[in-house]
């Protein structure tokens, strides 16, 4: 095999490395560092596919490696973060007061934090389905795992940095977190068509929804910072639902 064939797989392994490092930071309650490495991993996840298409070296090995790497970066890490968010709320303590100790995995009386790991199970099921689903070449069926991961890793960052009391209270509420966990797990595996940001051409007519979404995303990030991330994911789902809504015959 030539070196060219290995380049996309090396990028994919970089995604896996980032996910593994993010896992270490997540179990230490260092959500900022965990989020940073998840973000780098997701960017590498985008570029490995881009490199494979550019070099014309796409293959079954790369497809399997991609899902295995995503399972860690966009499956294991968000599950751990949600686990800790729910546990920290249950203990009514700050992140600093709940840093990892030898008994970090000791459940409290209700053990509700384990519900957060549903995200990991849902991501695994989605990635397995994605590998055998021939319909998801130009669009997605169900919420992609990187989108779910971005949503979840933003929550502790929002809680730490936002000054919006209502938002802080929401993230501090386990009913909200558990509801988000069930909703994201469902959306990942639902038969809901969602548009992809891949461009076959750059004409306004064929990409209007994508251009509106990108513009709206930049505006949300500019004005709302961390709070924009879950709003962008929500906007992505809503716009996909409306753009794929069948029009009635006249």
């Amino acid at each position: 095999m030539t070196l060219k064939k290995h380049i996309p797989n090396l990028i994919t392994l970089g995604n896996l490395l980032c996910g593994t490092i993010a896992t270490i930071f997540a179990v230490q309650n260092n959500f900022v560092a965990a989020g940073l490495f998840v973000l780098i991993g997701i960017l590498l996840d985008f570029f490995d596919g881009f490199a494979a298409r550019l070099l014309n070296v796409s293959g079954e090995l790369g497809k399997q490696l991609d899902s295995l790497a995503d399972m860690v970066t966009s499956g294991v890490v968000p599950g751990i973060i949600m686990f800790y968010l729910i546990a920290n709320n249950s203990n009514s303590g700050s992140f600093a007061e709940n840093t990892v100790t030898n008994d970090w995995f000791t459940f409290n009386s209700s053990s509700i934090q384990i519900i957060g790991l549903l995200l990991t199970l849902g991501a695994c099921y989605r990635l397995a389905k994605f590998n055998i689903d021939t319909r998801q070449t130009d669009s997605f069926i169900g919420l992609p795992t990187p989108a779910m991961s971005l949503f979840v890793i933003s929550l502790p960052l929002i809680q730490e940095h936002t000054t919006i009391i209502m938002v802080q209270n929401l993230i501090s509420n386990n009913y909200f977190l558990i509801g988000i966990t069930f909703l994201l797990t469902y959306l990942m595996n639902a038969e809901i068509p969602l548009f992809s940001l891949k461009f076959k051409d750059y004409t306004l007519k064929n990409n209007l929804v994508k251009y509106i979404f990108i513009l709206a995303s930049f505006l949300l990030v500019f004005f709302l910072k961390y709070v924009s991330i879950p709003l962008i994911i929500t906007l992505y789902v809503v716009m996909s639902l409306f753009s794929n809504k069948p029009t009635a015959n006249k």
Side-chain angles (χ1 to χ4, degrees):
M1 293 180 67
T2 63
L3 178 61
K4 181 176 77 170
K5 294 183 179 180
H6 290 291
I7 292 175
N9 291 340
L10 289 173
I11 297 174
T12 302
L13 291 175
N15 173 18
L16 178 58
L17 176 63
C18 288
T20 305
I21 296 172
T23 302
I24 295 170
F25 281 121
V27 299
Q28 295 175 341
N29 267 353
N30 190 341
F31 297 136
V32 174
L36 175 62
F37 276 97
V38 166
L39 181 59
I40 296 172
I42 289 174
L43 290 175
L44 291 174
D45 181 43
F46 170 81
F47 283 112
D48 64 1
F50 177 79
R53 290 188 295 272
L54 183 66
L55 299 173
N56 194 27
V57 291
S58 299
E60 190 62 28
L61 176 61
K63 182 179 179 181
Q64 299 302 325
L65 278 178
D66 189 69
S67 288
L68 290 170
D70 281 350
M71 182 58 216
V72 178
T73 305
S74 298
V76 174
V77 177
I80 291 173
I81 289 177
M82 185 62 79
F83 175 96
Y84 268 112
L85 285 175
I86 296 172
N88 288 338
N89 288 346
S90 299
N91 295 330
S92 299
S94 66
F95 295 144
E97 294 168 347
N98 286 287
T99 51
V100 65
T101 62
N102 290 333
D103 62 347
W104 72 270
F105 205 70
T106 301
F107 296 145
N108 59 29
S109 57
S110 61
S111 300
I112 61 171
Q113 61 262 42
I114 201 170
I115 293 175
L117 299 181
L118 283 176
L119 293 172
T120 300
L121 303 184
C124 180
Y125 194 79
R126 174 187 165 71
L127 290 166
K129 285 202 309 178
F130 183 84
N131 277 0
I132 60 174
D133 193 338
T134 58
R135 300 172 296 168
Q136 302 189 56
T137 53
D138 298 320
S139 60
F140 298 109
I141 306 295
L143 185 68
T145 52
M148 178 277 292
S149 186
L150 287 173
F151 190 110
V152 174
I153 67 172
S154 72
L155 296 179
L157 303 180
I158 293 170
Q159 193 174 39
E160 285 280 289
H161 297 287
T162 188
T163 57
I164 306 173
I165 301 301
M166 184 183 71
V167 174
Q168 290 179 343
N169 290 339
L170 270 179
I171 300 173
S172 298
N173 187 311
N174 275 346
Y175 290 109
F176 172 76
L177 294 181
I178 291 170
I180 288 295
T181 298
F182 281 113
L183 179 60
L184 291 175
T185 302
Y186 165 75
L187 287 175
M188 281 189 289
N189 294 284
E191 288 290 312
I192 301 174
L194 304 175
F195 65 82
S196 168
L197 289 178
K198 295 177 183 177
F199 289 83
K200 291 183 177 180
D201 60 64
Y202 296 96
T203 61
L204 183 63
K205 178 181 178 181
N206 294 331
N207 299 286
L208 180 60
V209 172
K210 297 177 184 178
Y211 285 133
I212 292 174
F213 172 73
I214 292 171
L215 176 61
S217 297
F218 277 117
L219 291 174
L220 286 170
V221 170
F222 180 79
F223 287 108
L224 297 177
K225 304 299 187 292
Y226 290 119
V227 178
S228 68
I229 299 174
L231 294 179
I232 289 171
I233 305 302
T234 303
L235 179 65
Y236 170 59
V237 174
V238 172
M239 289 186 66
S240 293
L241 290 174
F242 277 98
S243 65
N244 289 300
K245 186 177 180 180
T247 55
N249 294 326
K250 294 183 178 180

